[in-house]
Amino acid sequence: VYFAGVMVRLMLTLTPVVCMLSAIAFSNVFERYLGDDMKRENPPIEDSSDEDDKRNPGNLYDKAGKVRKHVSEQEKTEEGLGPNIKNIVTMLMLMLLMMFAVHCTWVTSNAYSSPSVVLASYNHDGTRNILDDFREAYYWLRQNTDEHARVMSWWDYGYQIAGMANRTTLVDNNTWNNSHIALVGKAMSSNESAAYEIMRSLDVDYVLIIFGGVIGYSGDDINKFLWMVRIAEGEHPKDIRESDYFTPQGEFRVDKAGSPTLLNCLMYKMSYYRFGEMQLDFRTPPGFDRTRNAEIGNKDIKFKHLEEAFTSEHWLVRIYKVKQLDNRETLDHKPRVTNIVPKQKYLSKKTSKRKRGYIKNKLILKKGKRPNRKTV
Amino acid sequence: LIPYVVWEQVKGEEEEENALEVKETKVKGKSGKFFSVKLPSPLAPGAKVRVSVEMVFTHVLQPYPTHITQSEKQFVVFEGNHYFYSPYVTKSQTTRVKLASRNVESYTKLGNPSRTEDTIEYGPFKDIPPYSQDTLKVHYENNSPFLTITSMTRVIEVSHWGNIAVEETVDLKHTGAVLKGPFSRYDYQRQPDSGISSVKSFKTILPAAAQDVYYRDEIGNISTSHLLVLDDSVEMEIRPRFPLFGGWKTHYIIGYNLPSYEYLYNLGDQYALKMRFVDHVFDEQVTDSLTVKIVLPEGAKNIHVDSPYEINRASDELHYTYLDTFGRPVIVAHKSNLVEQHIQDIVVHYTFNKILMLQEPLLVVGAFYILFFTVIVYVRLDFSITKDPAAEARMKVACITEQVLTLVNKRLGLYRHFDEAVNKYKQSRDISTLNSGKKSLEMEHKALTSEIASLQSKLKTEGSDLCDKV
């Protein structure tokens, strides 16, 4: 009972307890209201059958009838609950049980069993609108990527990718390797170049993230982002600091007032790529994130090492392809120009004696002649 | 993807309904495919006859450039023949090329062609010798969907209980210009001309009586589809999970049930199944390879297939499913390179003994019968290892008491007879009958009483206290 109270998902542990208790209650009630009838009626019937003697049927019938009537009259005066009340109570209990079964099936089908892979929303006129983005993206991965492609995503979607998209993942729901998950978290929270190094070392082909800003889905990766940062900080405290991602006031904001580390990290860029141009409806400015209810800060996002491979219909799943290294790396500085002809020809003032490389008092030797020694 | 002549049909101009007989032949020394056509009536010298020939080619339009980005338009190249390739002299000929759009990049200029909005007309050419060829090349914009069904498997399961189940497994690929670079969902949704050569959805027309239609793939039901039931067909607007760009492929399974009275005909024991060999998937479809499997009910014999065109039949297989003992015969047929004109009926003849239909329910009945029989027998068996004397004595006593009871009942019956005899005497005052009856009754009574006494002694030996009660 304690576990069920702690976490709603563990309500199942409450089931056997509730079943047993309710069974005891119902059986007690029924015993009281049904059992008494049977016990009282049995004795009079038995008496009459014993007295049914075939030798003298005529007389004895009357006697038995009289005896029976007498007993039943007695019964009525002794028993406080009449048969009517018993019937009503039994019927009520049965109806309660039946309604409960109906109610349970309705509640579980509506409230407790929403498959989180297919999202359903209801329009004003009651029709159901199905958002099948997850399966769309996973099926695209399955059909249109190389069989041996590797997908990097947060561990929540690992089994889904392995099952539906049939591709290798880096981390999945079996979260036994915390340092590996921390590496993925570090890649998601660093800026693009640092993340690219990690992705090259892990040999990643595709990166998959969940973005709920267009439809207002609150379980997306930006909401889980702080956890990624914390897990990464646990393994790499020198590179990632959680406080970097908050504003100086200590808030987690994605708009212009957000911290620059957050606005330049890979997860932010991947979530909001091209989102700054998108205007969802005329009341809100372009780039308005419905989940965080804020206009995003960094609208002009450009990637150097990633390329958008696929985005699902309602922008829920975004897949990026990791580009290979360029054939030639571009230089950071301008190349040096070496063919400049100087405008003025500079004449050196140094005489032959003062030029560099000139040995002073050099002995000149001629063959056949004695050298003149000036200084001895 | 080599261009391939797929379909040839020749029609006489007067009788539009009937197609003339066409057969493939060979001409010595010349390359290419040749067909011989049988005219309806012999042609007298100097007489004229009008014939119309329809030919369908697949994979003839090559995308050029082969890789395009999302925002570019798709251009294709068509290479054909200016002249009519025939073994006879052509006196006068015009060639008209009808294009899909007005945007033409380039085209060969033989004989000063005239060009209207979307057609190019060459000719008329006069007195062309036989077997003449001249390459015709047109490079133009074509944004119509270039979908190809790379492989399709069609399974038709026939049941004599009134249902035919059809299931088609389709592998689709977009064979236009391959997408190069990123796919931007923002551009695709907001710009009207982004990705115009991509395929968002297509319409499949199913047979009119199709019911319980399902559209699913390997990971589950695909929710993006619409079904429209019309009078003469069922239209299904299928949207693949994601829009298909060049080089992208997808896979899906579509299935439905049909009532068998529309497609299964029978005369006594002879049955004939008449169904379409390949059905409509989308307009102007191109199928690269097709496999058709027809599953007939168990016990179908003398199977004979009539197909409207050549098909490759593989050996018959056996398919085991519910309540099958010796398997259902499966007819397997392959064909490659099919177009919309191949949607024609195929007839399968077979004989089926009607009694065999009872086999399925009898099998179920037999299984239950054996189950219950075994349980009944098992319950009555005695598997105890040691003889339990007390239990045995109890059983014996029970047996004896049963016998005693039957005897007592018989005695009661005797009393009733005695009563009847007394009543008769009261009515008829017949002493003699009364006395005879009384004597016989008394004798029986004695016999029964002695039997009861003997049983009672047996009980005593058993040492039971029931003998007192008796």
Side-chain angles (χ1 to χ4, degrees), chain A residues 132 135 139 144 311 313, chain B residues 185-186 189 221 223 249 251:
Chain A
D132 218 353
R135 291 197 288 176
Y139 206 61
N144 295 308
T311 306
E313 198 182 329
Chain B
R185 176 65 74 163
Y186 175 73
Q189 283 176 338
N221 179 42
S223 45
K249 54 184 169 69
H251 170 96

Side-chain angles (χ1 to χ4, degrees), chain B residues 394-411:
Chain B
R394 251 184 276 127
M395 271 168 57
K396 273 196 196 156
V397 163
C399 188
I400 293 172
T401 37
E402 264 187 63
Q403 286 173 336
V404 168
L405 273 173
T406 46
L407 291 173
V408 167
N409 282 336
K410 272 193 201 160
R411 244 193 356 193

Side-chain angles (χ1 to χ4, degrees), chain B residues 77-96:
Chain B
V77 167
F78 170 65
E79 276 194 24
N81 191 1
H82 274 128
Y83 304 119
F84 178 53
Y85 189 67
S86 88
Y88 308 107
V89 172
T90 315
K91 281 232 168 118
S92 142
Q93 184 216 324
T94 35
T95 308
R96 206 172 290 134

Side-chain angles (χ1 to χ4, degrees), chain A residues 58-101:
Chain A
N59 279 343
L60 281 168
Y61 271 148
D62 285 335
K63 247 202 211 163
K66 275 198 200 141
V67 167
R68 215 189 290 151
K69 244 207 248 171
H70 184 63
V71 169
S72 63
E73 271 177 25
Q74 260 188 343
E75 187 190 284
K76 266 192 190 157
T77 47
E78 279 177 17
E79 186 69 46
L81 298 159
N84 282 332
I85 294 185
K86 278 185 210 153
N87 285 338
I88 289 171
V89 173
T90 336
M91 287 307 297
L92 270 178
M93 283 293 154
L94 281 173
M95 276 193 59
L96 189 71
L97 282 174
M98 283 192 280
M99 299 306 287
F100 185 68

Side-chain angles (χ1 to χ4, degrees), chain B residues 28 85 94 97 142 188 221 259 304 322 337 355 389 400-401 413:
Chain B
K28 256 197 277 190
Y85 189 67
T94 35
V97 182
N142 189 345
Y188 188 64
N221 179 42
H304 171 67
Y322 308 109
N337 232 324
I355 295 182
I400 293 172
T401 37

Side-chain angles (χ1 to χ4, degrees), chain A residues 308-325:
Chain A
E308 185 179 1
F310 185 77
T311 306
S312 65
E313 198 182 329
H314 300 99
W315 292 53
L316 201 53
V317 184
R318 304 195 75 174
I319 303 177
Y320 290 84
K321 188 171 164 65
V322 178
K323 288 203 275 203
Q324 301 288 326
L325 291 162

